[in-house]
Amino acid sequence: MRSIRLFDLLMGFSRALDMVSPVLAGHHLRVAFLSQALAERLRLSRTTRKYMLMASMLHDIGAIPLKSDTRDLIFEHNKALHCRAGWAFCKTAGLPRPVCDMVLNHHTEWCCYGTEDQNALPANCIHLADRLDVALRSKHAPDLKTICTALMAKKREYAPACINALISLAEDAALVARLGSQQGMQEHLASVFGSEILGPVQLVDLCGLFSQTIDSKSPFTATHSLGVAHTSRMLLKLTRMADSSDLTTMFIAGLLHDIGKLAIPHEILEKPAALTSEELSQIQQHAETSLDLLGSIPGFTCVRDWGGRHHERLDGTGYPHGICGTNLSLPMRIIAVADVFTALTEDRPYRAGMPLAEAMGIIESMAELCYLDANVVALLAEYVVVVNRARIRAQRRAAANFVVMRRLCGESGGAA
């Protein structure tokens, strides 16, 4: 896997967040663009602006596990809770403290800060940018100058410096024009942050954060992605046909293989009864969506193909494209086996995980039917105890993370 730019990864994740509700389309990009424009006029440091980019692109990440009504764009009914949930996601994933603070405070009014809050001004920029995007999206959207006039009266909510920067923005015709173009905003942010390359640890941390987001959408699969990531990486390692870069790529593919499920409604993901044919089709669409989202991130070609094709079958009866035989590479075959193995053996709210012997019986029968690769299944059978032990450890850590996040969300106060 080649080097991944920070902006490219964040852009891919923001597209996924926007898919939670169609009305959110472009929201995270516009907030990122507007907050950066404010920060540039305030002459904030480049490091601060990088943290702002991360926080603004991820600022509503905490709304996903809340099952909030997203029609109002801004999760008004759970404003404080979704800010704290987003902070808990970022904190448990090990993101830098300034990013966590900005996510936590992206709806905090200026009058609520103390003198010790070092990230108050950048967080207030994100808050103002969020309000601006909401105002500009309204049915009777006023122009930027009219919005400035209205916001100038809210002296308790916004820093005077932010309001002055906004007034300056309203006079910038080129910026206002770019605000109407998604491509223009994206190109501007890429030109500023395009040199920011993620190291392997940073990359895995950010992908781990997003896998938690994916899994948090439904308690039915609350630790599934991490289980698949560890199982598939271990199986690939056991083939002795992969280097460290391949193993990292496989791990990330496992973490993000179900990213397309963010576009599936909760009521279908958690439906207690049998799915209708139309609902089953919607569920299956997540694989195509995963391919699209992962494919939009430059440098993620293998992550896209390995992770996005985990429901293809050797005999061509899988989905989304019915690919068969030698057109399915070894990593694709491995992650397909890892996905089934994890799904069968993990505990879920409505049933305990299957015993190993029973799970392997099902998997081996799927290999006999040419759904799964027989050689990969044989490798799993040979090392199933050690593979399962690693899966259990990984999923227990993921479950413990969710416990920590729930505790953090329940704590009073707002300091990260």
Side-chain angles (χ1 to χ4, degrees):
M1 181 169 58
R2 68 184 177 93
S3 297
I4 305 299
R5 300 193 307 176
L6 171 66
F7 176 73
D8 290 334
L9 187 66
L10 291 174
M11 192 65 224
F13 288 167
S14 76
R15 291 190 192 98
L17 289 173
D18 288 348
M19 294 188 76
V20 174
S21 175
V23 295
L24 287 175
H27 176 63
H28 292 84
L29 174 62
R30 284 161 64 94
V31 171
F33 175 76
L34 285 165
S35 61
Q36 287 297 320
L38 293 168
E40 289 166 9
R41 279 159 176 76
L42 292 170
R43 300 185 182 278
L44 299 184
S45 71
R46 180 175 178 82
T47 298
T48 296
R49 287 190 286 120
K50 181 179 77 170
Y51 290 149
M52 287 178 66
L53 176 74
M54 296 173 69
S56 56
M57 284 291 218
L58 301 169
H59 70 277
D60 278 334
I61 199 169
I64 289 174
L66 302 180
K67 301 179 175 62
S68 300
D69 183 352
T70 59
R71 288 175 297 179
D72 61 0
L73 296 179
I74 50 177
F75 314 102
E76 292 288 3
H77 302 299
N78 284 294
K79 187 185 291 186
L81 184 56
H82 92 261
C83 291
R84 192 155 192 89
W87 167 73
F89 268 127
C90 295
K91 185 177 178 66
T92 56
L95 267 60
R97 176 168 178 164
V99 176
C100 301
D101 285 352
M102 292 175 203
V103 170
L104 174 65
N105 292 310
H106 76 270
H107 280 309
T108 299
E109 297 183 353
W110 183 248
C111 62
C112 297
Y113 288 105
T115 55
E116 74 283 358
D117 292 315
Q118 298 179 354
N119 297 305
L121 188 59
N124 201 241
C125 285
I126 297 173
H127 176 42
L128 178 55
D130 184 81
R131 300 296 87 191
L132 275 172
D133 185 45
V134 171
L136 290 168
R137 286 166 175 265
S138 67
K139 291 182 180 179
H140 307 291
D143 60 33
L144 203 53
K145 290 183 179 180
T146 304
I147 295 173
C148 287
T149 302
L151 292 177
M152 285 176 67
K154 298 187 177 183
K155 295 179 180 179
R156 290 174 56 81
E157 188 163 355
Y158 306 111
C162 287
I163 293 296
N164 291 335
L166 176 60
I167 293 169
S168 173
L169 292 186
E171 300 295 336
D172 188 336
L175 181 139
V176 173
R178 189 177 286 126
L179 186 58
S181 165
Q182 181 166 326
Q183 182 177 349
M185 290 185 288
Q186 190 170 333
E187 288 176 351
H188 173 74
L189 291 174
S191 71
V192 176
F193 295 102
S195 62
E196 299 284 346
I197 303 298
L198 290 166
V201 175
Q202 293 174 303
L203 178 61
V204 171
D205 282 348
L206 274 171
C207 292
L209 164 67
F210 220 75
S211 77
Q212 284 185 313
T213 308
I214 296 163
D215 287 351
S216 72
K217 184 162 184 180
S218 172
F220 288 9
T221 54
T223 65
H224 179 71
S225 295
L226 199 64
V228 173
H230 278 269
T231 300
S232 56
R233 182 175 63 180
M234 179 166 281
L235 287 173
L236 182 61
K237 187 175 183 178
L238 287 169
T239 67
R240 304 174 187 269
M241 298 172 64
D243 58 21
S244 60
S245 177
D246 292 332
L247 295 175
T248 298
T249 300
M250 178 61 94
F251 189 73
I252 292 171
L255 289 175
L256 301 178
H257 74 286
D258 272 341
I259 193 171
K261 284 189 175 177
L262 290 175
I264 307 299
H266 286 289
E267 57 268 22
I268 294 179
L269 282 178
E270 299 181 9
K271 185 177 178 180
L275 297 174
T276 66
S277 58
E278 182 179 346
E279 290 168 340
L280 181 60
S281 178
Q282 280 188 270
I283 286 282
Q284 293 181 341
Q285 183 62 35
H286 85 272
E288 184 78 66
T289 304
S290 292
L291 284 168
D292 291 343
L293 288 170
L294 296 174
S296 73
I297 302 172
F300 259 28
T301 301
C302 286
V303 172
R304 170 191 183 270
D305 289 340
W306 299 359
R309 303 201 183 281
H310 61 282
H311 284 299
E312 298 287 2
R313 291 176 170 178
L314 282 181
D315 67 349
T317 62
Y319 61 89
H321 299 142
I323 298 173
C324 63
T326 56
N327 292 318
L328 293 171
S329 66
L330 177 61
M332 296 177 198
R333 299 174 187 218
I334 286 174
I335 204 165
V337 172
D339 183 58
V340 174
F341 177 74
T342 304
L344 292 177
T345 54
E346 66 189 357
D347 292 332
R348 294 190 175 180
Y350 53 89
R351 52 96 171 145
M354 282 186 188
L356 281 184
E358 185 179 353
M360 287 308 302
I362 292 173
I363 291 171
E364 287 165 352
S365 69
M366 293 178 72
E368 291 172 5
L369 293 169
C370 291
Y371 294 166
L372 299 175
D373 184 278
N375 292 326
V376 175
V377 171
L379 182 66
L380 172 60
E382 183 178 356
Y383 294 97
V384 68
V385 173
V386 65
V387 170
N388 192 53
R389 192 177 298 134
R391 175 199 64 77
I392 290 171
R393 282 197 303 267
Q395 292 194 280
R396 283 178 177 169
R397 285 197 301 272
N401 243 4
F402 280 115
V403 171
V404 170
M405 286 170 56
R406 283 194 292 272
R407 178 178 59 77
L408 291 172
C409 288
E411 290 176 354
S412 60

